[in-house]
Amino acid sequence: MKQNLNMLLILATAFNVAAQNKKVVKPVQTYTVANKKVTVYTTADKSEYRISKTETLSFVENKQPFETEPCIFVDPTVKYQTLVGIGGALTDASAETFAKLSKKNQQELLTAYYSKDKGIGYTLARTNIASCDFSSGSYTYVQDNDKDLKTFSVAHDETYKIPLIKQAIAASGGKLPLFVSPWSPPAWMKDNNSLIQGGHLLPAYRQSWANHYVKFIKTYEAMGIPIWGLSVQNEPMAKQKWESCVFTAEEERDFIKGFLGPTLQKAGLSSKKLIAWDHNRDQIFQRASTILNDNDAAKYVWGIGFHWYETWTGSGMQFGNVKQTHEAYPDKALIFTEGCKEKYDVNKLDDWTLGERYGYSMINDFNAGTAAWTDWNILLDEKGGPNHVGNFCFAPVHADTKNDKLIYTNAYYYMGHFSKFIRPGAKRIGAASSRDKLQSTAFLNTDGKLVVVVMNQSDDKLKYSLWIKGEAATTTSLPHSITTLVVE
């Protein structure tokens, strides 16, 4: 009997080992470039090219390139995250500047940003809940000490911001996912009794503040503006001279699980995409791990938002932190929620590094797992504002309001190399450059079009091949250029 039991145990162990070692056979994915053409669109310094169609390429057989042949290797069968969208923020400053333009230029701007065919086809937007630095002045939606929010009103927004948002939605064909972010609760809800200089939300007002998000969302939606998502707090670790409020990682975690998450759910708003952090890449992993390691908080969180301003400390852009966060929490989305070039200088509107900063960030953020990318103000005036604390910055487009002119910086075109061609629902696919001077990312759209973006920040003219499954199409990257190659 004992021998029989031993034999059964041996057989059972062998069966389990075999089962664990059994390979799951995945269906072979194929992709062929036979009879496909490559259309090349280029933006380049010291040229007239601005998302210009510059050539059409054909593939020829090249089974194995040598090391001496620079290549962008693309494998469409290796798939990563799905793109949610690319866009910019519709702030008070953008709306107030927009209102100063002639109707002709207003329409031009809307077409430039939101038309896929005639513009760069933005598919995502952000706006501020109450005032931020890019407002002409500070304001709130409720009167002092109204914890029940009976005086809640967005009448302030009806003059400029709401009309612009509605026009942007219309220009996008009736659909423009919009997420909203607060810079500060009303002063009386905070321990420093001020909208500015950080401060913390007082525990006694956590529920009132959670109710405030619901009030805002439902009010905007009743006015015909659907809200796709919201972030908990803009830059929660910044004590600014403008609207700001500090949440430590633990405070944000506890506010989400104890107040904001349940309140959204109770109000029937659990489908809204809740975004945590909404600050720089330097602390993204620490914030994500604190919140997402708590199941009671994580269940309410759709994704982690981040900005690019870690550079103010002297650091470079920390894409490794974004990638580590994506790898640690692959079920949560990553969304770039804000970025702009600070310290506006009218003499630098044609500075080529403006666009290159966008291209560098977008390529590396997407390659680190980012699913959505949102610029800051879509439009600012000739002074880099309006901004009620003098924090003047660059935007992809500026308005000369005195002469009713629109000024397109190269940042507009650099963003367009992504937003015009890579559409919501696209899957990022495998792309690797054999030269560090050629940075690249690639996506496969739902319509089957393959899109590869290649950026060259060097002073060199570089010949390279787009290589896919043993076929190569050869082109040349101009110095300080960005190109989009569309395979169809």
Side-chain angles (χ1 to χ4, degrees), residues 64-209:
Q64 178 59 66
F66 284 95
E67 289 177 298
T68 52
E69 303 173 65
C71 289
I72 305 294
F73 296 104
V74 174
D75 188 344
T77 67
V78 176
K79 296 178 180 177
Y80 301 98
Q81 78 273 20
T82 301
L83 183 80
V84 171
I86 299 170
L90 301 162
T91 59
D92 288 313
S94 294
E96 290 167 30
T97 304
F98 180 82
K100 294 178 181 178
L101 294 170
S102 63
K103 293 294 182 184
K104 176 178 174 290
N105 279 338
Q106 287 181 350
Q107 188 55 55
E108 178 186 319
L109 185 83
L110 291 168
T111 299
Y113 270 120
Y114 298 104
S115 170
K116 178 179 177 291
D117 299 320
K118 297 179 181 179
I120 60 173
Y122 271 7
T123 53
L124 191 61
R126 182 193 191 203
T127 199
N128 47 298
I129 298 176
S131 59
C132 64
D133 51 326
F134 279 93
S135 304
S136 289
S138 296
Y139 65 90
T140 64
Y141 298 130
V142 292
Q143 294 178 11
D144 285 358
N145 304 313
D146 176 16
K147 67 182 182 64
D148 297 323
L149 311 181
K150 291 177 181 178
T151 58
F152 186 93
S153 169
V154 297
H156 171 278
D157 300 355
E158 293 183 62
T159 305
Y160 299 113
K161 194 164 63 171
I162 286 173
L164 173 59
I165 293 171
K166 287 185 173 181
Q167 289 180 75
I169 292 170
S172 300
K175 182 182 179 183
L176 183 63
L178 174 70
F179 67 98
V180 297
S181 305
W183 266 243
S184 176
W188 50 270
M189 288 190 184
K190 297 168 64 182
D191 62 3
N192 67 346
N193 197 33
S194 174
L195 291 175
I196 66 174
Q197 294 294 337
H200 292 252
L201 176 66
L202 288 166
Y205 293 115
R206 286 173 183 162
Q207 188 57 59
S208 291
W209 184 228

Side-chain angles (χ1 to χ4, degrees), residues 214-368:
V214 171
K215 278 276 192 182
F216 180 85
I217 292 170
K218 289 195 170 183
T219 301
Y220 260 51
E221 293 200 326
M223 299 175 81
I225 300 175
I227 303 300
W228 170 80
L230 67 156
S231 68
V232 180
Q233 168 64 43
N234 177 74
E235 298 186 347
M237 287 313 299
K239 180 182 177 181
Q240 304 282 27
K241 63 180 181 180
W242 55 84
E243 289 81 348
S244 47
C245 183
V246 173
F247 282 80
T248 66
E250 290 78 10
E251 286 171 339
E252 185 175 8
R253 176 198 66 199
D254 294 346
F255 179 62
I256 289 170
K257 72 177 180 179
F259 297 92
L260 184 55
T263 301
L264 290 169
Q265 191 170 59
K266 186 177 179 181
L269 301 177
S270 57
S271 64
K272 306 305 179 188
K273 313 302 185 191
L274 183 58
I275 300 162
W277 187 221
D278 200 3
H279 204 166
N280 299 328
R281 299 184 188 98
D282 51 4
Q283 294 185 22
I284 185 174
F285 182 76
Q286 181 256 352
R287 181 68 52 140
S289 62
T290 301
I291 294 171
L292 300 180
N293 286 345
D294 185 311
N295 291 333
D296 291 333
K299 67 182 180 182
Y300 296 114
V301 176
W302 171 80
I304 304 295
F306 63 96
H307 302 180
W308 72 15
Y309 307 113
E310 66 267 25
T311 53
W312 80 272
T313 64
S315 170
M317 291 185 176
Q318 294 181 296
F319 305 112
N321 290 352
V322 178
K323 184 178 181 182
Q324 184 166 334
T325 302
H326 175 62
E327 290 173 346
Y329 307 99
D331 59 325
K332 300 299 182 184
L334 287 171
I335 174 171
F336 182 90
T337 47
E338 183 188 318
C340 73
K341 177 71 171 68
E342 312 94 318
K343 298 179 181 177
Y344 178 79
D345 181 346
V346 69
N347 297 311
K348 293 185 178 180
L349 281 171
D350 59 354
D351 188 332
W352 204 256
T353 62
L354 288 175
E356 289 186 330
R357 184 172 179 179
Y358 279 83
Y360 177 67
S361 178
M362 294 179 81
I363 286 172
N364 286 281
D365 283 333
F366 286 133
N367 288 346

